[in-house]
Amino acid sequence: MPSTKATDKNIDLDDSQYYFNRELSWLEFNRRVLHEALDERTPLLERLKFMAIFSSNLDEFFMVRVAGLMQQVKAGVTKLSIDGQTPSEQLAAIGDRLRPMIQEQHQHCEQVLRKKLIDQGIHILDYVDLNQEQRTYLNQFFEEHIFPVLTPLAVDPSHPFPYISNLSLNLAVVVKDPDLDEELFARVKIPRALSRFIPLPKELRQRHKGKVGIWTGIPIEQLITHNLEYLFPGMNIQECYVFRVTRNASLSVEEDEADDLLLAIEQELQKRRMGGSAVRLEIQSSVPEPIRSTIIRELALEDNDVYDIDGLLGLGNLMSFLALPLPELKDRSWSPIVPPKLHRLQDLQEGEDGDDFFRIIRNGDLLLHHPYYSFSASVQRLITEAANDPDVLAIKMTLYRTSGDSPIIKALIAAAQNHKQVAVLVELKARFDEENNINWARKLENAGVHVVYGLVGLKTHTKITLIVRQEENKIRRYVHIGTGNYNPKTAKLYTDLGLISCQEDLGADLTDLFNFLTGYSRQKSYRKLLVAPVNMRDRMTAMIHREMEHAQNGGKGRIVVKINSLVDKPIIATLYKASQAGVEIDLIVRGICCLRPGVAGISENIRVISVIGRFLEHSRVFYFHNSGSEEVYIGSADWMTRNLSRRVEAITPIEDPGLTADLHEILGIMLADNRQAWELQPDGSYVQRKPPKDSQAQSTHNILMDLVAGN
């Protein structure tokens, strides 16, 4: 850990020792996710959920981040990371950090969680544990429902090693031909269309405490393994092992060369489905060396790319057990509340007296905090009302991610059919949502909506809506500026903030911003919005410097920021300077944090916490004390180089005193959390806070649910 005397005036803030590695910091975030699965305070089925999230997170990490590093190594790139590591050094460090975590995950799942599930009447059995009656039923089920779907692929001189699709579960099978006395190799892919865990009927379930258990079944790969004779009749089954492959899933689109971005993205998606190069092999640790070597060689991998697993592979499928009707084994149920200002709309049917919603907004700004406040009763209803309101002339919005059956898409189509001017920017490069966005873009275009696909070289990440309405003898503009996607499904799981307003300056700013997104505008200044890549970085930096000046002049310097990730080196260096000037800084960073807090002479005035719990912290809040004239902002941008320099983002000030007080309360609750909060240490580790002895835990999510429900 670096140590610097506070009196040292010649500190080089470019020195790599003052920064954490981005990839290793992300792994520490995922470690905190895993801890929720290990924590006995977490309800049992929620522990399975966190096991699944940990695995799914790793899948994406390998498909994107590890794949990118491997490409850099192959291309001979030697550029150092923020902490001074080469791509190959980072890959080695990732493996060293990750292997013990994966071992801990699988060991806990096999030795702890499966036993605890049995205690609750949930039996995830191995095939060898089944009685004869259970085996008979499952073998018949295999013959009728699974066998017809399977396709064994031989591997020999006339059958090359088959393509192994991304994230697929596979069996490596060794059979012996009794006529030729020769061992042969084959691969069986387990189709994703089939359920991963095969349940037994109620009458064949294991008994629990004298009663029939809740669920009994086995993993599908074990059922297939014990019925391989159906796939290889006349052969002697010698060995069978499970393995799983992760491939590079990044898109590479040369936008300057793409006359039709929609077509270019579609072509790249086809390549992704065909699959990029393999980046990880997960395999049963008991697999013999000859089979292991064969698979590694055929996938063009190295030993360092292989992860040996004791237990079930692909634990992301554990998420399916959350569907079991066992509320006592889950988090307490939560239904988002209708914001108090909108209560009187409850008795109205959608589309009836749409003016009422707009009248409410004319009487004052509305701050929304999802999932505590209902997305469908607020943002979704606003857009639906606008689509059917005869006085609404135009609706403009950005769509980064949305659900497959989005009511908002339907509302936009209805608006176009109602002869309103509807313009939507659909970000085709939203990672892993590209195909969904292409489908909706086509439906919107077919309905007469003006669809644009963003700017060359910039990803449009901002979450904004502009509604233009004719009212008496004037045009009034209503806006929604948020931190999260227009997705009613994730709005129940992610914490996000949004502002609905009819402030003239915000309406004018969004008009300018949409002209920038859809036309040839080169707008360089905005009235109130902080817009990336135009003015956001400069304004953020200036506000940090302003706090420094206040502290240096004997006043109070105070910054509180809540974001998902902190990676941008210039911002971090500016925060270090602010700390050196005496500014007190609290950072609530859910995921990656490359800033090293608590270093003498550098960052002793900076504290960093991460809050991990039942909801995914996704909102961004920026607070600056400003010598008592406080400024508070919310918006879509993290403090990452991509957000500040390579994406279109928007952050809005919150100026209503009542709403700023609400944001103060939210930040205060999170800073006081001693149940879900983790404190980042100067060495890069995180320590989870614990409530004082004999006192009640202060859980951010529980407190906020209670506060909203009390309204």
Side-chain angles (χ1 to χ4, degrees), residues 6-67:
T7 56
D8 189 348
K9 303 298 183 181
N10 299 311
I11 298 170
D12 180 10
L13 293 181
D14 283 332
D15 194 323
S16 61
Q17 68 172 319
Y18 301 126
Y19 301 89
F20 293 129
N21 181 269
R22 171 192 171 133
E23 317 306 343
L24 299 183
S25 181
W26 185 91
L27 288 181
E28 289 305 311
F29 155 67
N30 213 27
R31 186 196 300 275
R32 299 193 292 279
V33 173
L34 176 61
H35 184 272
E36 289 298 306
L38 310 180
D39 195 329
E40 292 188 357
R41 295 174 296 177
T42 306
L44 183 57
L45 292 183
E46 303 294 338
R47 293 172 72 174
L48 291 187
K49 177 189 75 176
F50 282 107
M51 279 280 174
I53 293 172
F54 175 84
S55 292
S56 298
N57 285 349
L58 274 184
D59 288 345
E60 185 170 332
F61 178 71
F62 273 91
M63 286 189 287
V64 178
R65 302 303 306 177
V66 172

Side-chain angles (χ1 to χ4, degrees), residues 346-365:
Q346 283 303 96
D347 296 330
L348 300 175
Q349 298 299 313
E350 286 192 355
E352 179 186 347
D353 189 15
D355 180 63
D356 207 72
F357 200 118
F358 296 106
R359 186 185 306 121
I360 290 170
I361 303 307
R362 288 198 299 274
N363 289 333
D365 291 352

Side-chain angles (χ1 to χ4, degrees), residues 29 32 588-591 608-612 676-679 686:
F29 155 67
R32 299 193 292 279
I588 306 168
V589 186
R590 183 197 76 215
V608 180
I609 67 168
S610 170
V611 173
I612 304 294
Q676 299 168 232
W678 296 74
E679 295 180 347
Y686 282 80

Side-chain angles (χ1 to χ4, degrees), residues 103-134:
Q103 182 179 8
E104 182 179 28
Q105 178 202 20
H106 286 272
Q107 188 176 54
H108 191 83
C109 186
E110 293 296 317
Q111 299 180 10
V112 178
L113 291 187
R114 286 180 77 166
K115 292 179 181 178
K116 287 185 175 293
L117 289 169
I118 289 173
D119 291 340
Q120 299 295 332
I122 304 167
H123 297 79
I124 305 175
L125 300 178
D126 294 321
Y127 187 90
V128 295
D129 297 325
L130 300 173
N131 61 39
Q132 189 55 52
E133 192 176 8
Q134 291 170 329

Side-chain angles (χ1 to χ4, degrees), residues 249-253 262 265-266 268-269 272-273 400-401 426-441 459:
S250 61
L251 292 181
S252 177
V253 177
L262 191 79
I265 296 287
E266 280 190 310
E268 283 297 313
L269 284 173
R272 177 191 284 175
R273 281 191 288 270
Y400 188 74
R401 302 185 196 274
V426 178
E427 181 48 75
L428 297 181
K429 302 184 291 294
R431 183 172 287 143
F432 301 118
D433 271 344
E434 300 96 343
E435 187 169 5
N436 189 43
N437 288 359
I438 285 172
N439 292 335
W440 279 121
K459 185 180 286 190

Side-chain angles (χ1 to χ4, degrees), residues 400-421:
Y400 188 74
R401 302 185 196 274
T402 189
S403 61
D405 55 350
S406 173
I408 287 179
I409 296 290
K410 296 174 184 176
L412 293 171
I413 291 173
Q417 292 170 343
N418 290 334
H419 309 295
K420 302 183 189 306
Q421 177 86 1

Side-chain angles (χ1 to χ4, degrees), residues 152 624 680:
F624 301 91
L680 176 58

Side-chain angles (χ1 to χ4, degrees), residues 486-629:
Y486 291 105
N487 187 326
K489 292 184 178 178
T490 57
K492 296 177 181 179
L493 303 171
Y494 293 10
T495 71
D496 273 303
L497 291 159
L499 176 72
I500 299 178
S501 174
C502 62
Q503 292 182 45
E504 290 188 10
D505 283 349
L506 290 180
D509 274 351
L510 281 200
T511 298
D512 289 341
L513 181 51
F514 274 108
N515 288 340
F516 170 66
L517 292 172
T518 63
Y520 290 116
S521 166
R522 291 295 178 262
Q523 188 76 18
K524 296 297 183 183
S525 63
Y526 292 86
R527 299 154 188 85
K528 289 190 176 181
L529 289 184
L530 279 60
V531 175
V534 180
N535 66 352
M536 187 180 294
R537 178 186 290 279
D538 289 344
R539 288 285 303 280
M540 285 289 185
T541 302
M543 286 189 285
I544 299 172
H545 278 291
R546 187 178 61 192
E547 296 301 316
M548 293 169 57
E549 292 172 4
H550 292 316
Q552 289 168 336
N553 292 330
K556 177 180 179 180
R558 180 82 171 108
I559 297 171
V560 182
V561 171
K562 179 186 182 299
I563 47 180
N564 298 334
S565 299
L566 174 54
V567 173
D568 187 74
K569 188 174 181 179
I571 290 287
I572 295 174
T574 306
L575 291 171
Y576 285 157
K577 292 176 183 177
S579 173
Q580 291 171 327
V583 178
E584 292 294 328
I585 302 170
D586 279 291
L587 305 174
I588 306 168
V589 186
R590 183 197 76 215
I592 305 167
C593 182
C594 295
L595 178 147
R596 188 187 292 271
V599 179
I602 300 289
S603 56
E604 66 263 49
N605 292 317
I606 304 177
R607 295 159 296 277
V608 180
I609 67 168
S610 170
V611 173
I612 304 294
R614 67 176 290 173
F615 300 131
L616 179 79
E617 286 298 330
H618 193 254
S619 57
R620 291 92 166 179
V621 185
F622 306 86
Y623 166 85
F624 301 91
H625 181 260
N626 191 25
S627 193
S629 299

